Amino acid sequence: MGSVVSSAKINARSMDRHEKSGFGSNKRVKISTYECDSFQRIIPTLPDELSFQILARLPRLYYLKLKLVSQAWKAAITSSELSQLRRELGLTEEWLYVLTKLEPNKLDCYALDPLFRKWQRLPPMPSFVSEEESTGRTQSSWFQMWNVVGSSIRIADFIKGWFRRRYGLDQMPFCGCSEVSPMISGRAFSKAALLQSKLYVVGGVSRGRNGLLPLRSGEVFDPKTGIWSELPEMPFMKAQVLPTAFLADVLKPIATGMASYKGKLYVPQSLYSWPFFFDIGGEIYDPELNSWETMADGLGDGWPARQAGTKLGIVVNEELYTLEPSSSLDSGQIKRYDSEQDTWKTIVPQVPVHDFTDAEAPFLLAGLHGKVHVITKEANNNLQVMQAVLQNNIENSPSEENIIWNILASKNFGSAELN
């Protein structure tokens, strides 16, 4: 992603040209031309700069198939020049990406084009083999699950590409995968978020001699340097006020979620002794000060849990949203945080979601085109992407009668679980 695929006979050289387009004039566009023994062009009868203009105006949905035309087309589709031109022409597209798990170590990633309402299955991510597996030693199977992140796994280059540019997601479906720098610490069930074009990972668990150990540490990946750096440990201030040393030894502090909000990382926290979880508010990381502070009581204590150990949080148009499931297991509420009053306010009183006891993630939240969307799985295994439309402009006091649910897309993923 962001790189030009080359072969023994094909190379690329870049040039800067001034070119006028229908979307603006005198824009500086970086174009690549492709050469081989017979001076092969992207489209033989056209200059490469015109070919780039044509490719840039095609819907991104077709790029995966266009890569198969020739080596020159593949190199053009996967080049940074094409994505730069699309940005300058105002043709970037926002897609929804869903990660599913069918088997403990098998991940499938799908992309939804919301304009054409079509799904595409993306190329598989590279598999990994741990050191213990390579030497024949056994491993805890659930520790090998799909949400393991750590030094035994390399972060794929397509993840790196997400953060290389502000609009890096516009390239995601067309990339290949390669290894980049490993993380400093191996960790499973960690929380990750993007902030200021850097990838932050905090918490999770690591394997110790006596089992899995909760981690207070965190790391940040800078795609410009390709280097991971350590963060200060989460202090878990509220966990330090436990009345007895026994409780402090039994109840372990963990991070249960993370969201990038107002230029900081907001991390809700809990104490756990499986299968019990106790909320203890949360903490906020300030990248400017490189330090943690305690989260406001209303924000941390009122942040609802999706299920034990996990809390949803997304930011859309600089507002923080979450989804709180109801006790009836067939509905929920979308809430928005009011920072002035330090409280969570219900903006959608009833969301048609189904909480199946055998599903790890029966529903998710996502921001798409400046709107909050709910991703839920029905009893018939249909995955639905839904958007709530408020009627009569009643946003401050919405009711069930004032809300219409639009189904953006639907697809049957079988028994696969949502990430």
Side-chain angles (χ1 to χ4, degrees):
M1 194 161 127
S3 61
V4 176
V5 179
S6 61
S7 66
K9 294 185 178 180
I10 298 176
N11 59 68
R13 52 188 175 85
S14 299
M15 65 183 71
D16 291 328
R17 300 271 180 92
H18 289 283
E19 178 171 327
K20 295 182 179 180
S21 69
F23 293 84
S25 60
N26 296 325
K27 288 189 175 181
R28 189 173 181 83
V29 180
K30 189 176 183 182
I31 303 297
S32 287
T33 59
Y34 298 84
E35 295 179 337
C36 66
D37 294 343
S38 60
F39 189 68
Q40 178 182 353
R41 291 175 172 172
I42 303 173
I43 300 177
T45 58
L46 294 177
D48 279 351
E49 50 264 40
L50 291 182
S51 299
F52 266 95
Q53 292 285 339
I54 294 172
L55 292 176
R57 287 166 170 80
L58 292 175
R60 199 157 58 103
L61 181 70
Y62 302 114
Y63 280 9
L64 279 175
K65 293 183 179 179
L66 292 177
K67 285 172 55 179
L68 304 177
V69 173
S70 67
Q71 283 284 358
W73 282 57
K74 182 178 181 180
I77 293 296
T78 58
S79 68
S80 59
E81 287 87 349
L82 182 61
S83 94
Q84 176 187 341
L85 179 59
R86 287 174 60 87
R87 292 197 300 270
E88 293 182 355
L89 296 176
L91 297 174
T92 55
E93 300 176 31
E94 188 174 350
W95 283 16
L96 177 67
Y97 298 88
V98 177
L99 199 62
T100 64
K101 181 187 69 172
L102 184 59
E103 300 173 4
N105 291 314
K106 179 177 172 56
L107 290 177
D108 289 323
C109 190
Y110 294 85
L112 170 66
D113 183 336
L115 298 180
F116 287 88
R117 300 194 176 191
K118 290 185 177 181
W119 292 89
Q120 287 201 55
R121 183 175 179 177
L122 302 186
M125 290 184 290
S127 60
F128 69 93
V129 178
S130 68
E131 294 180 2
E132 287 190 335
E133 288 175 316
S134 63
T135 57
R137 286 179 287 180
T138 59
Q139 221 175 335
S140 172
S141 60
W142 67 280
F143 189 80
Q144 299 176 29
M145 289 174 62
W146 46 276
N147 51 357
V148 173
V149 178
S151 58
S152 62
I153 311 173
R154 308 288 178 165
I155 304 300
D157 189 51
F158 80 91
I159 297 288
K160 178 180 177 181
W162 289 4
F163 317 112
R164 185 176 293 132
R165 302 176 183 85
R166 181 179 178 185
Y167 300 99
L169 278 172
D170 188 54
Q171 297 184 23
M172 181 180 169
F174 328 122
C175 60
C177 294
S178 61
E179 293 184 355
V180 296
S181 301
M183 295 181 65
I184 299 172
S185 302
R187 60 185 75 222
F189 310 107
S190 52
K191 307 303 177 183
L194 177 66
L195 178 64
Q196 298 173 357
S197 298
K198 295 181 180 180
L199 175 63
Y200 288 82
V201 181
V202 302
V205 296
S206 179
R207 193 199 335 266
R209 293 183 178 179
N210 298 321
L212 299 180
L213 302 175
L215 296 174
R216 298 172 179 243
S217 62
E219 306 176 34
V220 56
F221 178 74
D222 187 343
K224 293 182 179 179
T225 63
I227 296 176
W228 290 90
S229 303
E230 289 185 302
L231 301 179
E233 288 192 348
M234 292 178 286
F236 285 95
M237 294 299 296
K238 291 189 176 182
Q240 299 178 14
V241 299
L242 292 174
T244 65
F246 172 76
L247 288 178
D249 183 62
V250 172
L251 299 177
K252 304 299 183 181
I254 61 169
T256 52
M258 185 158 66
S260 302
Y261 179 52
K262 294 187 175 182
K264 300 179 181 180
L265 294 176
Y266 285 66
V267 183
Q269 299 167 339
S270 297
L271 295 175
Y272 89 99
S273 179
W274 185 261
F276 303 105
F277 288 82
F278 306 93
D279 292 336
I280 55 170
E283 292 172 329
I284 303 170
Y285 174 74
D286 187 337
E288 299 295 331
L289 301 177
N290 191 31
S291 63
W292 293 88
E293 60 185 271
T294 301
M295 192 178 291
D297 291 339
L299 172 59
D301 296 337
W303 200 320
R306 175 177 58 174
Q307 55 185 191
T310 60
K311 295 186 177 183
L312 291 178
I314 64 167
V315 176
V316 179
N317 296 329
E318 300 182 354
E319 299 283 357
L320 179 61
Y321 296 87
T322 189
L323 192 151
E324 181 177 30
S326 71
S327 58
S328 64
L329 303 181
D330 61 357
S331 66
Q333 296 181 342
I334 294 180
K335 293 187 173 183
R336 183 175 59 204
Y337 178 64
D338 186 333
S339 57
E340 294 184 358
Q341 300 184 19
D342 187 28
T343 184
W344 290 91
K345 293 185 176 180
T346 300
I347 61 168
V348 179
Q350 186 164 358
V351 180
V353 298
H354 302 278
D355 190 359
F356 306 113
T357 56
D358 59 345
E360 294 184 10
F363 53 84
L364 299 170
L365 284 182
L368 188 63
H369 291 161
K371 302 290 184 180
V372 177
H373 289 72
V374 178
I375 306 170
T376 183
K377 189 175 180 182
E378 300 296 306
N380 59 1
N381 288 329
N382 273 344
L383 182 143
Q384 291 186 336
V385 181
M386 305 183 299
Q387 178 191 347
V389 179
L390 302 181
Q391 301 296 301
N392 303 323
N393 295 321
I394 303 177
E395 185 173 352
N396 295 326
S397 57
S399 64
E400 184 179 354
E401 292 76 17
N402 296 322
I403 296 175
I404 295 178
W405 285 96
N406 287 341
I407 299 178
L408 178 65
S410 178
K411 182 177 177 62
N412 193 305
F413 287 95
S415 59
E417 295 183 357
L418 293 174
N419 177 10

